[in-house]
Amino acid sequence: MSSTVLSSRSSLPFLKRPLLTAIMTALVTTISVTGCSAPEANNSEPADDKTENQTADNATNVANNDAVSSEKISVNTVKGDVDVPINPSPLVVYDMTLLQDLAALNVAVDGTPSNLMLDNLHAKTQPEPEGVGTVFEPDLEALNAMKPQAILIGSRMADKYDELSTIAPTLDMSIDTANSYESSKQRLHDLGALFGKSDEALKLQADIDTLIDETKAVIKDKGTGLVIMVNGNKLSAYGAQSRYGFIHSVVDVPMADDQIKDAKHGQPVSFEYLQKTNPDWLFVLDRSAAIGEDGAGAKAVLDNPLVAQTNAWRKNQVVYLSPDSYLAFGGYYQWIQDLTTIKNAFAGAQ
């Protein structure tokens, strides 16, 4: 059984394979006993990197059938190296960010959580997936019945990792919020290799990179920015190391306040804080709207005399981020939607 190594954390990932024919020859007996079959090869020559690296790329997604790959890839995840078959099927995915990337790659998924709030989480060829719980709680009975070859999770399901790993190889592919660009780029690369879609992954990343460059070009010298979340009547501000820090660290909007304390749910702030900080641009996430809660929207909450005194409000420079930025942070469609929105807002500024 040959194995490829993927790193979801290194900045320059490469696929690796055993290079010594002697090792491969020594494994023949073991492989025969365990029932795994290796692809035919010329045992008199060491494996060629170019030839080996084509294995994953030539595979085809086989969701909802019983095809089993004899090739395996070792993915370096948040929890360390995990060996999974190339094109694992059945495949279960609990993370909306991962589902966005897989949808963009046109990879079908067999099992997903229920009550997903976004409409860009399914591949074009996606058959109706089976419900396997929620993004926070797995349905263990459904999982055991499905017998997945791999389970992919993100941060919302991270505390269930050990439990899920007893059912199938589980990959915790949570994005590093302090390094969102490199982390999401690495993950898109690894998903491309895992599902034989490396060329497609490169094209998707090129879409993101092009938008980043275009956005940076129109942002230059147009003032400071502040990222806030509105949750009912509560406000939180986010710094450069947060999940929304890409606005400062990737597209280079100067921070109106560089002393914001980094926290998972942001630093609680007040309307007086917004007035005092006086950003030229406000980037707003409406959490209640993103998760479908009733109540006053962010626009209504911010429409008050204190916020009205800020440059951002006076100049109509308030940018509302997509629900994807909360539910599927770092996913392909989140990057595309929010970068496009930010670019257009700055391009239209006086």
Side-chain angles (χ1 to χ4, degrees):
M1 180 184 300
S2 58
S3 177
T4 300
V5 177
L6 295 180
S7 170
S8 64
R9 291 181 289 185
S10 63
S11 59
L12 295 173
F14 293 93
L15 301 177
K16 303 177 183 176
R17 292 191 181 266
L19 300 179
L20 298 178
T21 304
I23 294 176
M24 295 176 65
T25 304
L27 287 173
V28 169
T29 303
T30 303
I31 292 171
S32 299
V33 171
T34 59
C36 297
S37 61
E40 293 183 3
N42 182 351
N43 290 329
S44 65
E45 296 292 336
D48 176 77
D49 284 343
K50 181 176 180 181
T51 301
E52 293 288 338
N53 289 349
Q54 291 174 348
T55 305
D57 295 335
N58 289 339
T60 303
N61 180 239
V62 287
N64 295 316
N65 74 33
D66 296 326
V68 176
S69 173
S70 62
E71 295 287 335
K72 284 195 173 184
I73 285 178
S74 182
V75 183
N76 187 275
T77 72
V78 173
K79 299 291 187 179
D81 293 346
V82 180
D83 291 337
V84 290
I86 292 173
N87 261 327
S89 179
L91 172 68
V92 169
V93 181
Y94 278 104
D95 180 63
M96 281 185 269
T97 305
L98 284 166
L99 286 170
Q100 276 203 359
D101 286 348
L102 292 171
L105 289 168
N106 200 29
V107 173
V109 178
D110 299 276
T112 66
S114 59
N115 300 321
L116 297 176
M117 307 294 291
L118 301 175
D119 59 5
N120 50 21
L121 306 178
H122 293 158
K124 296 175 183 178
T125 57
Q126 174 76 66
E128 186 63 30
E130 295 183 31
V132 287
T134 70
V135 292
F136 295 102
E137 192 67 37
D139 182 336
L140 299 181
E141 184 177 351
L143 282 176
N144 279 300
M146 183 178 289
K147 296 182 173 57
Q149 279 196 311
I151 302 171
L152 276 55
I153 66 173
S155 58
R156 290 182 176 93
M157 189 64 80
D159 63 348
K160 303 291 184 180
Y161 176 84
D162 291 339
E163 192 172 22
L164 293 171
S165 294
T166 65
I167 297 174
T170 301
L171 281 65
D172 183 349
M173 302 182 79
S174 301
I175 281 184
D176 177 7
T177 57
N179 192 15
S180 60
Y181 171 75
E182 289 296 338
S183 183
S184 63
K185 178 179 180 178
Q186 181 68 57
R187 182 162 64 177
L188 182 57
H189 169 277
D190 288 350
L191 290 173
L194 177 58
F195 292 97
K197 302 274 189 174
S198 288
D199 288 343
E200 290 90 336
L202 287 173
K203 292 175 183 176
L204 295 177
Q205 188 61 50
D207 293 342
I208 295 170
D209 291 342
T210 297
L211 263 177
I212 288 173
D213 290 341
E214 292 173 353
T215 304
K216 289 171 69 174
V218 298
I219 276 173
K220 189 176 181 181
D221 300 326
K222 290 189 178 177
T224 62
L226 179 68
V227 184
I228 63 170
M229 177 186 289
V230 178
N231 184 16
N233 290 318
K234 298 178 181 179
L235 307 179
S236 300
Y238 288 81
Q241 300 300 306
S242 72
R243 72 175 85 178
Y244 309 110
F246 74 92
I247 290 172
H248 304 299
S249 61
V250 177
V251 296
D252 297 341
V253 176
M255 297 182 68
D257 178 9
D258 61 4
Q259 300 301 312
I260 297 172
K261 296 179 181 178
D262 292 315
K264 182 177 181 181
H265 299 293
Q267 174 184 309
V269 297
S270 64
F271 296 121
E272 289 81 4
Y273 167 85
L274 297 184
Q275 177 198 33
K276 181 180 178 179
T277 305
N278 192 25
D280 296 304
W281 294 83
L282 263 179
F283 300 90
V284 181
L285 173 68
D286 189 337
R287 180 184 180 276
S288 297
I291 62 175
E293 287 186 348
D294 295 330
K299 196 171 294 186
V301 172
L302 293 172
D303 189 4
N304 66 70
L306 290 172
V307 178
Q309 296 176 45
T310 64
N311 290 338
W313 196 269
R314 288 190 298 104
K315 296 180 179 180
N316 196 29
Q317 294 181 166
V318 180
V319 180
Y320 292 90
L321 302 175
S322 69
D324 305 56
S325 63
Y326 182 72
L327 297 172
F329 164 74
Y332 171 77
Y333 294 112
Q334 183 266 316
W335 277 113
I336 297 301
Q337 290 183 102
D338 286 325
L339 287 170
T340 300
T341 297
I342 295 169
K343 182 185 78 167
N344 291 342
F346 275 81
Q350 301 299 320

